[in-house]
Amino acid sequence: MPDSGGSRAQRAHIPTSGTGPGTDADLRTGPGADGDPTVPHGDAGALAVDPAAPQVTAPAGLPEAPVPPKAPGLSGPAAKAARRTGLLVTLVLGGLTALPPLSMDMYLPALPAVTDSLSAPAATIQLTLTACLAGMALGQLVVGPMSDRWGRRKPLLLGMVVYVLATAICALAPTAELLIGFRLLQGLAGAAGIVIARAVVRDLYDGVEMARFFSTLMLISGVAPIIAPLIGGQVLRVTDWRGIFVVLTGVGIALTLVVWKWLHETLPPADRHTGGVTDALRTMRGLLADRVFTGYMIAGGLAFAVLFAYISASPFVVQEIYGASPQTFSLLFGLNSIGLIAVGQINGKLLVGRFSLDKVLGFGLAVIVLAAVALLLMTTGVFGEAGLVPVAAGLFVLMSAMGLAMPNTNAQALMRTKHAAGSASALLGTFSFLIGAIASPLVGIAGEDTAVPMAVVQVVCAVAAVACFLLLCRPWQRAGREAGGL
C-alpha cells in the first residue's frame, strides 16, 4: 500500500515534528533493485516522488543510517497540533538562519561611524566584517560534528549563549583590535544557528519535503538582508554604532530563549556518533570521498559565490557606474531579493514533486549562466552602451534563479547524509562561505570604472557550477538506474 507521506519526524516520533511544507502531498513508492515496489532508500514516501534522487546510503568508510520506524499518518486534532508545531519549528529555524545576515548587514551603515569612533583606518574596520565572515565559515566545521555527537540542542544553546556574550562585548569594545577579535567570536558562535538549522531539517524531513522546507526557510531568511541595513540605519538615528550591537544582543537573547523552550532534540541518541576529533575528521573525509555529495557541495558553493559577487559589487556598480541614487539602489536590491524569495517559493510549492530535483536544479543553474553571460556582454559593450535598466534586469534574472539552485543543492547533498547530517551541513556551509569570501574582493580588481570584473567572476563561477553538477553529480546516471530498476 502506498506510503501516506508526512515528515520523517512524524514517522520517527520526534517531538518537534510537524507536517511542514508539502507533507499532505500524495506520495508513491518506486521500483527497488529487484523491480518490486519496495522502498528504494531512506524515506519511502518523500523520495519516491523524485526518481532522480540519490541513494541515501553512507559513503565508503561511514556508518549506515538506520531506517526510522513508520507510524500512521496524523489526522484530526493531532494533525492540527502537528501543523502548529511545524510552523513554530519553521519560524525558529528561519530565525536561526536569519541571525548571521542580520549580524553582518545591520552593521554596514555604521562602518564610517566606527572608523571615527575608534580612530582606526577604514581598512582596519573592514576587518571586522572579514572576521565575522571567517568565523561563520570556520565555526560550522566545529559545531557540525559536535551536533552529530551530542545532539542538536546542546551545541546550539551553547553557541547562542556565546553569541550573546560576544555581541554584548562588541558593544563595549574600546579598540578596533578588540572589536575584530570579538566579531570573530561572534561569527564562530553564530555559525551554530546556520549549521544546526540545516541538520535539524535533515533530521525531520527527507526528499521532496526537505527541498520544500529549504524553500520555506529561504522565504524567512531571505528577508533578513533586505531589512537589516534599514534597521541598522534607523538604530543609528537614535543612538551610535554600539546600539546596533545592543539590538543584536537582544535578538540573540530572545532567540536563545525560544530555542530553549520550543526546539526539542531531533537527533535520537542511537543515531549519534561516539568518537572524538579523529572520528569527526574520518566522517568528513568519507563525505568528501562521496563524489555526488562533493559535486552538490561545490556546485552550491559556486552558486553562492555568484551571489556574493553581486552583493559585494552591486552598490558600486549600480550607484557609481550607472548613476543610480541610494534610494534607487535600495529599491533594486529589494526587488532582487524579492525575486529570489518568490522563485524559491515557486520551487517549493509548484516545481518540487512535479519534476525531479536534479531537473529543477539544472534549469536554475542554466538560467544563472545565461544571465551572467548577458551581464558580461552588456558590461563589455558588445551591445553598445548599456544603461541601468537592462543591467538591472539581468541582475534580477540572475538573483531570482538562485531560488532554484540554492535550496535544491542543499537538499540533494543532505539526502545522502542521514548518517552525518551535522558534519555534512558544516561542509556545505563552510565551503560556501569560504568561496564567497574569495570571490568578493575579485569584483573590484580592475578599479572603480568598470563592472566587467563582477560579470567575469559570475560567469566563471556559474559555468564551473554547471560543470561540477554534470561531471560529479551525473544526474542522468541515477535517473537511468531508477528507470531501469537497477
Side-chain angles (χ1 to χ4, degrees), residues 42-61:
D43 186 326
L47 292 184
V49 177
D50 180 13
Q55 297 287 333
V56 185
T57 56

Side-chain angles (χ1 to χ4, degrees), residues 349-442:
K349 298 185 182 302
L350 298 179
L351 300 180
V352 170
R354 291 177 172 84
F355 305 94
S356 73
L357 297 184
D358 278 330
K359 288 182 179 178
V360 178
L361 171 57
F363 178 77
L365 292 176
V367 173
I368 291 173
V369 169
L370 292 175
V373 170
L375 285 168
L376 180 59
L377 294 176
M378 284 188 285
T379 56
T380 54
V382 171
F383 300 135
E385 186 175 350
L388 176 61
V389 173
V391 171
L395 289 172
F396 178 81
V397 172
L398 183 145
M399 288 297 297
S400 297
M402 293 290 174
L404 300 178
M406 294 172 64
N408 291 328
T409 51
N410 283 332
Q412 290 287 66
L414 288 173
M415 266 197 287
R416 304 180 65 82
T417 59
K418 175 63 172 75
H419 54 284
S423 296
S425 178
L427 289 173
L428 291 172
T430 298
F431 183 80
S432 294
F433 274 86
L434 287 179
I435 198 169
I438 293 171
S440 295
L442 297 178

Side-chain angles (χ1 to χ4, degrees), residues 107-120 122 125-126 236 241:
Y107 177 66
L108 294 179
L111 285 179
V114 177
T115 301
D116 295 337
S117 174
L118 299 181
S119 301
I125 299 303
Q126 286 285 350
L236 290 176
W241 63 271

Side-chain angles (χ1 to χ4, degrees), residues 81-103:
R83 280 193 291 271
R84 286 194 297 270
T85 304
L87 176 61
L88 180 60
V89 171
T90 302
L91 294 176
V92 172
L93 298 182
L96 291 173
T97 56
L99 186 60
L102 284 175
S103 302

Side-chain angles (χ1 to χ4, degrees), residues 250-264:
V251 172
I253 292 173
L255 196 53
T256 302
L257 294 175
V258 169
V259 168
W260 175 75
K261 183 172 179 60
W262 281 298
L263 188 65
H264 303 290

